[in-house]
Amino acid sequence: MDKMRKRTLMSALIKSLFPCIVVCAAGSFVIEAVTSYLQAWCISVFDSKGLYEKNAVADRFYMISQLLYYSRIVLVPLWSALCLLVTARVYLHREIEPPVDTLIKASDRIRNDDLDFRVECATDNELGRLCASFEEMRQDLYDSNYTLWKALEERKRLNSAFSHDLRTPITVLSGYMELIRQCGEKLSAEKQLEIMAKMEGQIERLKSYTEKMSGVNKLEDIIPDVRPVTFGELCRQIAESGKLLCGEKFSFDAVGNTESIVYTDSELLMEVFLNLAANALNYSETYVKCRAELGSASLRIVVEDDGCGFSEDAIRQAWKPFYRDENEKDKTHFGLGLYICWLLCRKLGGGITIENAACGGGLVAAEINILQ
């Protein structure tokens, strides 16, 4: 590698000095020829004048010839020095200044945390290679910062999704508390125990979901805990949670054998349903309808409302993270509900469908795989 660098440096040096040597030699030859010719002419004039008459003119020509002789000795080295100076200046301007300026500008931009550029240098010398190494360093810094930025954004999105998902179960628990507050002493001991059991179930589900979300670094890392559960049990949980969340607006219908066994992560499935129901409630006017349809290999949960429905752009993009319709009045939500549903359904082997219902309201269908 050192021999190759030496050869490269020697080649660049020869390439730069060769024009200088040619110009220097040519100039020295011209100086030598011109001064020799003028000196010979002056001597001939002096001889002709001095032979017949000694006068001031002859002495002047003699002095000029001597001056030309000594000037030749001085002019050749001066010309050579000038050629070297010009060559050094040209070499500096072409080979040194561009990469140095490039490196200085690149350093300034990197110091100002600006990495969105390229370090480009056309010179093929050691400084050019230094610029190439600098570009590799900049690219590594850019990739490192981009990876860090993505990790921070993913963490931000995870935290937002986590906060978003906590709201709905808390609302359900608040519904149970409101029921206890309103009925008070009218509730029998049996009913109170039943409500407490339901609240305990919601708290356990919330605790399990919290632990699951706390154990991942990003949403995509969630691993479903698939267990067998009856279709009837899932329908019961959906009906109870939907009633508590949406109140009198909510209605539920189940299509399928309630004794059939479904293999899924019921906690994630309930998160999907609660997100869909909360989203529908936010836009509904008078009702939120839910329907669970059990197929041979899949379970489909359809949530419909009688609100303003989805725009054409929302039908295409509403499932994307942080999407919000431009015409949306509510600017407080993060635009994560349908994205979380889509992501969790994908983890459960399915997906979501977004469209407008016949009544003009919104309709979202979540479908998951139920086979072991």
Side-chain angles (χ1 to χ4, degrees), residues 279 291 300 302-305 308-312 314-316 318-319 338 352-366:
N279 196 62
R291 184 172 69 257
R300 194 165 181 260
V302 183
V303 178
E304 176 186 343
D305 64 75
C308 58
F310 295 102
S311 65
E312 292 184 6
I315 290 176
R316 292 192 303 271
W319 60 271
L338 291 179
I352 63 171
T353 305
I354 302 171
E355 57 186 86
N356 286 324
C359 67
L363 185 151
V364 182

Side-chain angles (χ1 to χ4, degrees), residues 188-200:
S188 64
E190 258 180 40
K191 191 65 177 175
Q192 289 181 13
L193 287 174
E194 182 184 346
I195 293 175
M196 292 294 290
K198 289 179 180 179
M199 290 179 68
E200 186 178 1

